[in-house]
Structure formats: structure tokens, C-alpha cells
Amino acid sequence: MARIAVIGAGMGAMATAARLAVAGHRVTVYERGTTYGGAVGRYEREGFAFDTGPGLLHLPAVYRDLFVKTGRQPLESRVDMVRADPAVRHVLPHLGVDVTLPAASHGGVAAALDEAFGAGAGERWNGVLGRARDAWDATRRPLLEEPLRGGREALGSDPYPAVRRSGLLRRRPPTLAEVAARELGGGLGELLTGLVAPYGIDPGRAPASAAVLPYMEQTFGSWYVRGGMRELATAVHERCRERKVDFLFGAEVREVLVRDGRAAGLLLADGCEAPADFVVCGIDPRLLPEMAREAGAARGADAPSRVTLLLALRGARPARAVHRTLVHSPGLSATVLRPDDPATRPDADHEAVTVSAVCGPGGAGAAPSAEELLDLAGKAVPGLRERLLWQEALTPADVEAATGAVGGSVPAPSLAGAGGRLLHPANTTSVPGLYLAGGWAHPGGGLAHAGMTGALVAGLIVEGADFRGSR
Ligand SMILES: Cc1cc2nc3c(=O)[nH]c(=O)nc-3n(C[C@H](O)[C@H](O)[C@H](O)COP(=O)(O)OP(=O)(O)OC[C@H]3O[C@@H](n4cnc5c(N)ncnc54)[C@H](O)[C@@H]3O)c2cc1C
């Protein structure tokens, strides 16, 4: 039995802690805040309740697997997960397009797109997602389920089989925006890029392989946890506690102690030392001096943040309202979430709506104003301003307060292609005994991807160099 110190109580760190405890190790989580979950927070006021971080989960299999591997009770016995159906509504006010796509039906999606964009649109869309599936199949294991091996070059070339254009020399692989324009055209292309941008990924710079994200959403669905996404964090925390993981709150970590060339424990902000045989870092590596090399490889410097507007509305949520609407407009797009969940509102005569947009970290660049977000949200929710009771804005500073990440950066999922520029650092580090988990490590940020770091780091610590990946 080894003593394992885990830094931070975010989702990736907790997923790692639960798996290590089940493997028989003594695990302690050191969290600087007063609660678990990190970005997965909840804001409550006057009977309204809002998710302050992710509002939907993609790839629920990641957390199902965590619960299967760490105990008898499956995830579904702990949280009530519902698939968002319809999957997503796209509103493009500048083109007069308003299209709602059903969940779990390629045919239904194609039919809706044909109606909105003209005959053939659905076929073009399915063609792109079919090529995205090839990219997914080619990279799923090395990108998501296996430790990062062979350096960045191994995943550096773009697996998206872009359609070749006759007579043209390809000087470089196309970006996602170029693929969207060439293979989908006009407004339909905006749907593809608009599904990727909320991850904090710039479609104009991202490799075409970013199309795996819309593929993943359309194939595996977008899932909501009744009572709010914080319920998922609570379930993972409870699973950790059942497995005897210790949590120390108000315990800010200053340094990783390195003795005789290997990780030996933690130095806390109060000056106390916490000895350990292994250390798992579940936070932005730029926060710890020993992480200099890993931090250099982290994609933190340019990872954008989020602004989020929490809206308390009078009047009932219409039965036909769609859970997630993407409002695309040139220059600024927003995600509008309208969960059909009584736990989010004081009664049936009110509604809680969340609007979010990507913005530069730490206030870099012009963050959209509340007024701009309200205008966009009004395209998805008719009569929004007249129904508004009150609003609360969350800024990059609030994200930084929740996660500690510099400037409130939110790490994106890792992507293959672009010479490995969009990969995160490996879970192993240059210091033996020191591992990286959570959204800042391979395979990157987002609830599902960060959850995968738990399987990878636990596998690397338990099985050592023989670990070939999560099964
Ligand atoms: C506003 C917002 C919206 C998002 N939307 C989505 C979405 O739609 N879909 C999606 O999949 N993902 C989304 N994400 C990302 C997702 O929430 C995270 O990637 C995921 O929760 C994994 O987080 P993590 O494990 O990296 O830990 P984090 O959530 O970053 O938590 C880190 C924890 O470490 C603690 N900590 C920091 N420094 C120290 C220290 N020195 N000592 C001790 N503890 C420390 C922090 O207090 C925090 O509790 C969003 C995030 C934010 C902030």
C-alpha cells in the first residue's frame, strides 16, 4: 500500500483518487477550497439553481466505467442521467435559419438539415461526420484511452480524411473552418464550426480532426444530470469517500517535494509537509514551480475562458423548449441552456436559463458584455428581456476562483493533428512518482476527457510501465 497525495478535488483528480483507493492505496486529496468538484459548481438564489460550469456531459461511458471499476453500484443508481433530446437547436439570425436536430437519429438529422439548408445538406453533413468517425476510430485509443506515447509527433498528423480537391496542391492539411466551408458550405458549415467553438477551440486554427467532437456528441449524445451537473461531482466524491479517500479542504498546495530525484510529498501553504510515495497533480501545472517543464508543454497560455450569464425568468418554460441552443452570429456565438428540471426553479411559473460564451483568459481580448449575451439569448428565448427577473454574470475571475487556473483558462480536449500542438502533456512527468491528472493533462479538458485521466493515471501508478491503456 502506497501513500498517494492528490492535488485538487476537481473531477479528474477525484476520478483518479477513487481508482487508486480501490487498488488498495492510501489516498489523500488536498483541496485549497471548501468543497469538491472544481469547475462543476452550482449557484443558488431565491429558489433558482444554475450550473456554473459544464451543463452537459458527453461520453457518459467514462463515468459509468469509473463507477463499475470502483464499486458495485452503477452510476445510474446514484444519479439520474437523461439524454438531451432534441440534441441541439441551431439559430443563425443573420441567415434566418432556425433548425432543431433530434438525438440518436442520423436520418432525422439529415432530414432536418435538408429542410433548413436545401436538399443534399443532410448528405453532406453525414459525409463529414462519416469522415470524422474515421478520424475517431483511428485515434480513439491513442488519444483517449492510452497514455501519450512516442512524443507529440505520434499524433501530430491530422487523421481526418479530407476530401481531395482535384488540380490543387495541398501545401498543408486544412483547418476545420476550411473543411466546413469546402465540404458543407455557407450556413451548414457554421453548424460544424459552431459545435467546436464552445470547447474553446478556434475552428480557423484547429485541424479538421476537431470534427471528432461533433461526431462524438451526435453519436454518444449529450447528457444532463437531474438536479444539476453538480450531482455528478457529488456522486464521484461520495464514491471516493466510500473507498476511504481522505479529503483535506482549505489545504492549498505550494510545492511538490522532490527528494533523491523523485516525488516525496507536498508542501502546503501553511508550511506543513505531507509526505507521500506518489503525487498526482490535478491542477493547472503552471501553478507549481516543479511543473515548469510540464507547464511549458501545457496549452494553458492560449486556452480561453468563459463568461456565463445566469438568468432567472418569470413565466413557465414552454414544453417545446430545447435544452441546448447554439446561437451563431459572426463574431460572437453563445450557448443557451434551458434544462427541463424542477430542481432549477422555484416553481413551474419560473424558468432558469444559462447563457455562456468563450472569451480570452484573464480578460484578454474583449469579453462579451451581459447586454450582448442577452441579445443573443433573446434569439433563442422569445420575450427574454420582458421575462427577466434578475441576472448574475460569471467572469473569467470566477472561473479562476473555482479552479485556480491562471486567468480562468478552461483547457480544451486534446486533438490529433497540427503537429501535436493541441495535445496536452503526458500523464507521466520528468519527476518519477509525479503524475498529471485533470483537464491540463492528456487527454485534456472537459468533463469526459478529464475523467479519462483517472483511468490513465491510476493505470500508470498501479501497473507501471506495462500499462497499455484503459480497457
Ligand atoms: C465555465 C465552465 C464551463 C465549462 N463547460 C464545459 C462543458 O460544457 N463541457 C465540458 O465537458 N466541460 C466543460 N468545462 C470544463 C470541465 O468542467 C473541466 O474540464 C472538468 O470539470 C475537469 O476539471 P479538472 O479535473 O481539470 O479540475 P478543475 O475543475 O480545474 O478543478 C481543480 C481543483 O483544484 C483546486 N486547486 C487549484 N489549485 C490548488 C492548489 N494549489 N492546492 C490545492 N487545490 C488546488 C481547485 O480549487 C479546484 O477544486 C467547463 C468549465 C468551466 C469553468
Side-chain angles (χ1 to χ4, degrees):
M1 180 201 281
R3 286 166 310 174
I4 302 181
V6 176
I7 310 174
M11 296 300 280
M14 288 199 294
T16 312
R19 287 175 183 268
L20 287 169
V22 166
H25 297 298
R26 213 164 78 212
V27 185
T28 306
V29 176
Y30 297 83
E31 165 58 51
R32 65 172 192 150
T34 54
T35 186
Y36 52 82
V40 188
R42 192 143 178 90
Y43 179 87
E44 295 182 352
R45 179 178 150 191
E46 297 164 23
F48 291 90
F50 307 83
D51 291 315
T52 57
L56 289 166
L57 168 67
H58 307 293
L59 283 185
V62 170
Y63 288 92
R64 289 197 182 111
D65 183 64
L66 171 68
F67 274 71
V68 167
K69 300 279 168 53
T70 59
R72 288 201 193 96
Q73 282 179 307
L75 177 61
E76 270 81 357
S77 72
R78 308 296 285 265
V79 295
D80 184 5
M81 282 208 300
V82 283
R83 186 173 185 149
D85 189 7
V88 59
R89 174 182 166 208
H90 294 274
V91 178
L92 293 80
H94 54 295
L95 299 179
V97 170
D98 187 337
V99 56
T100 298
L101 305 182
S105 165
H106 288 297
V109 168
L113 294 175
D114 277 350
E115 201 178 324
F117 294 98
E123 198 181 330
R124 295 204 302 283
W125 179 263
N126 283 343
V128 167
L129 287 211
R131 288 184 280 285
R133 183 191 56 220
D134 293 345
W136 169 266
D137 289 344
T139 53
R140 182 176 57 88
R141 282 223 32 99
L143 193 61
L144 266 177
E145 297 171 357
E146 293 174 356
L148 196 59
R149 293 186 200 285
R152 289 164 175 263
E153 300 73 32
L155 282 163
S157 47
D158 193 336
Y160 181 86
V163 174
R164 282 190 182 280
R165 300 170 79 205
S166 56
L168 282 182
L169 276 178
R170 269 179 67 190
R171 289 201 194 94
R172 57 166 176 77
T175 64
L176 182 75
E178 287 166 345
V179 160
R182 284 177 199 169
E183 298 178 25
L184 296 173
L188 187 57
E190 286 184 50
L191 266 51
L192 188 76
T193 54
L195 283 164
V196 166
Y199 288 89
I201 293 169
D202 176 356
R205 297 182 62 213
S209 80
V212 296
L213 298 171
Y215 167 78
M216 189 181 83
E217 290 188 11
Q218 187 168 311
T219 306
F220 306 108
S222 302
W223 297 77
Y224 175 70
V225 178
R226 283 200 185 283
M229 300 307 289
R230 174 98 183 138
E231 292 294 313
L232 182 64
T234 300
V236 176
H237 177 248
E238 282 172 1
R239 177 52 55 92
C240 283
R241 299 291 297 133
E242 288 158 15
R243 296 293 159 242
K244 307 268 184 289
V245 173
D246 277 329
F247 282 78
L248 294 182
F249 293 104
E252 182 177 344
V253 176
R254 276 275 161 78
E255 272 179 41
V256 175
L257 300 173
V258 180
R259 301 218 164 101
D260 300 326
R262 81 166 269 128
L266 304 176
L267 174 66
L268 303 181
D270 64 7
C272 290
E273 290 193 0
D277 305 305
F278 295 93
V279 171
V280 177
C281 172
I283 66 175
D284 180 349
R286 289 173 292 170
L287 296 168
L288 298 174
E290 301 68 30
M291 297 291 183
R293 189 183 298 189
E294 280 67 34
R299 294 173 40 211
D302 58 351
S305 187
R306 304 286 184 279
V307 282
T308 306
L309 210 51
L310 313 176
L311 305 177
L313 305 186
R314 63 174 78 83
R317 176 188 187 277
R320 290 173 57 84
V322 175
H323 190 128
R324 177 172 60 144
T325 301
L326 299 181
V327 184
H328 312 254
S329 81
L332 177 63
S333 295
T335 303
V336 180
L337 296 178
R338 307 177 74 179
D340 185 10
D341 183 355
T344 63
R345 54 202 179 221
D347 53 46
D349 294 326
H350 292 88
E351 183 182 3
V353 172
T354 304
V355 189
S356 62
V358 169
C359 66
S369 67
E371 285 302 305
E372 286 174 297
L373 288 181
L374 277 176
D375 279 346
L376 282 184
K379 312 286 184 200
V381 184
L384 178 87
R385 283 183 187 267
E386 295 73 48
R387 293 180 59 199
L388 190 59
L389 268 178
W390 52 260
Q391 69 192 62
E392 192 71 42
L394 303 177
T395 66
D398 295 298
V399 176
E400 183 164 358
T403 66
V406 179
S409 287
V410 178
S414 289
L415 291 175
R421 182 170 53 81
L422 301 184
L423 297 172
H424 286 78
N427 307 103
T428 47
T429 70
S430 51
V431 180
L434 173 59
Y435 295 83
L436 296 185
W440 295 96
H442 174 72
L447 264 183
H449 287 69
M452 279 306 293
T453 64
L456 295 176
V457 173
L460 286 163
I461 291 179
V462 173
E463 294 183 32
D466 292 338
F467 180 60
R468 290 281 165 266
S470 165
R471 283 176 292 274

